[in-house]
Amino acid sequence: MTGKKGLLVVLSGPSGTGKSTVIGALLDLRDDLRFSVSATTRAPRPGEVDGREYYFRSREQFLDMIAADAFLEHAEYVGNFYGTPAAPIEADMAAGYSVLLDIEVQGAAQVMAKRPEAVSVFLCPPSLDELERRLRGRGTDDDDRVRGRLAAARREIAQAKNYDYIVVNDDAHKAARELDAILTAELCRSGRQLRSIPEGEMFP
Ligand code: ADP
Ligand code: 5GP
């Protein structure tokens, strides 16, 4: 990696919007980006692997991690706990990587307060009808849970204005390209560039 410091990137958006899909495409576009693997008390979905999508933990294990101050942030969402382990983020950023957090709005607000330099992006579905189609199409939630996630979605979309950027996921590859452009632009911000160029060498 270069000597330049990476970005802490917070991505939020209602469940079913396509965050995982878009993040997968974005990670293929950027080798300077790492995904922050969260801990959760929810059950794995088919195909999800412990330590890759999430660290799947019991409620007791999760509460132990809170007590040990292991999380940068944590929150309860639709009946389960989710939290961002702090140590891997520090390690990845120290190695020069940018780190992407896929977290809901309460956790994102905690990160923005603790780390004001974080870049925040809200991924929006093209419409609530399309969001419902995606949730039902994914087939991982029963009717009650889909209704719960849609109610949560309305509350979350109301928070989009608090984010630095809003990207609409109508096409997943287009959304990934827009996120890629945001990261590239943020890395080129003058403040960041001036910090990484030795003082007095080019800019007096
Ligand atoms: P999230 O991580 O936000 O919960 P997922 O990535 O699991 O969402 O996507 C939810 C469903 O929507 C999946 O079945 C996925 O294949 C589908 N999906 C994602 N992005 C798009 C898109 N741009 N157009 C149509 N379907 C999409
Ligand atoms: P899902 O169950 O669909 O994987 O995720 C549900 C919600 O939890 C999503 O909005 C996702 O962004 C959020 N989430 C995932 N990991 C974390 C985390 O570590 N902290 C917080 N606050 N939210 C998370």
Side-chain angles (χ1 to χ4, degrees):
M1 302 298 301
T2 65
K4 213 187 271 184
K5 208 164 169 280
L7 303 166
L8 182 60
V9 185
V10 174
L11 181 74
S12 298
S15 179
T17 298
K19 295 183 300 298
S20 307
T21 307
V22 171
I23 289 168
L26 178 65
L27 289 168
D28 285 344
L29 293 175
R30 298 194 74 104
D31 57 10
D32 61 347
L33 181 67
R34 295 244 169 122
F35 177 65
S36 159
V37 179
S38 294
T40 184
T41 58
R42 89 150 159 73
R45 295 182 184 132
E48 287 184 333
V49 175
D50 185 45
R52 189 179 66 189
E53 281 81 8
Y54 283 105
Y55 296 108
F56 295 100
R57 295 293 181 257
S58 68
R59 251 179 131 79
E60 292 67 36
Q61 288 171 324
F62 198 96
L63 292 174
D64 284 347
M65 291 177 79
I66 295 176
D69 205 18
F71 292 123
L72 174 62
E73 61 71 38
H74 61 88
E76 193 170 350
Y77 181 84
V78 202
N80 286 299
F81 289 133
Y82 295 83
T84 303
I89 296 179
E90 301 316 323
D92 284 340
M93 291 190 72
Y97 290 97
S98 292
V99 179
L100 181 77
L101 277 52
D102 168 354
I103 62 178
E104 51 69 68
V105 293
Q106 307 164 72
Q110 293 174 45
V111 176
M112 290 179 212
K114 274 192 193 167
R115 303 283 292 262
E117 78 284 7
V119 177
S120 58
V121 184
F122 193 89
L123 190 69
C124 223
S127 67
L128 285 173
D129 283 350
E130 174 60 17
L131 178 64
E132 182 167 357
R133 266 193 295 279
R134 288 183 193 173
L135 281 171
R136 294 195 188 283
R138 191 167 65 183
T140 52
D141 295 302
D142 61 23
D143 215 45
D144 262 7
R145 277 194 170 270
V146 168
R147 270 198 286 273
R149 288 186 189 271
L150 283 173
R154 290 174 194 276
R155 291 193 295 272
E156 288 165 320
I157 290 169
Q159 304 297 315
K161 61 181 183 303
N162 300 327
Y163 288 69
D164 297 321
Y165 298 92
I166 297 176
V167 170
V168 177
N169 179 23
D170 41 8
D171 172 290
H173 286 281
K174 178 168 154 274
R177 282 198 304 276
E178 288 181 5
L179 271 162
D180 183 31
I182 289 168
L183 267 57
T184 299
E186 286 286 338
L187 285 165
C188 289
R189 288 184 78 98
S190 58
R192 190 173 291 279
Q193 296 284 35
L194 291 171
R195 277 195 297 278
S196 67
I197 293 167
E199 206 176 317
E201 197 166 282
M202 285 196 292
F203 302 104

